Amino acid sequence: MAQYPTELDDNSGPDDLGWMAPGYLATPAEALERIRQICAMHEELFGALFALMATHGSLPREILAAAIKQFRPDAQALSNEDLVGLLTATVNGGRQGFDAVMRTRRSTPRKAGAVPWAGS
């Protein structure tokens, strides 16, 4: 049976996963760079959101949504509220939940008073 370390080592090489440990407090710059890289490596929005929730679940979803919009062109048309809903659906419902929220977001009219130049 495999033995897993009970403490993290201080190696900071490319394979260091200490940043994923419970209780690890990353600087905003560290987290933002990892979010950028994860967004870039996934073609589909669902894959990016799934990976981000798995690796950055301790971040408030509103903050994660704002960061995602910076790096995903396919998320820029969505509101932060829509992205928070997609993050929640990704965790709670997997692909089926994600697709269901996407369908409702595409078919629901936008609220009145939205800034016309911001897109829908």
Side-chain angles (χ1 to χ4, degrees), residues 7-79:
E7 294 182 21
L8 296 174
D9 58 23
D10 288 337
N11 294 339
S12 58
D15 294 330
D16 177 35
L17 295 177
W19 63 271
M20 289 182 66
Y24 178 81
L25 296 175
T27 66
E30 287 175 320
L32 204 54
E33 177 57 21
R34 283 194 300 271
I35 292 167
R36 183 193 66 75
Q37 290 179 14
I38 291 169
C39 283
M41 66 173 75
H42 292 276
E43 286 186 29
E44 282 189 303
L45 182 59
F46 172 77
L49 298 185
F50 191 79
L52 287 167
M53 285 306 297
T55 57
H56 293 78
S58 64
L59 277 178
R61 290 182 182 162
E62 294 79 12
I63 291 173
L64 192 53
I68 291 166
K69 286 181 77 164
Q70 290 183 37
F71 305 118
R72 293 290 306 199
D74 53 352
Q76 290 177 2
L78 299 168
S79 70

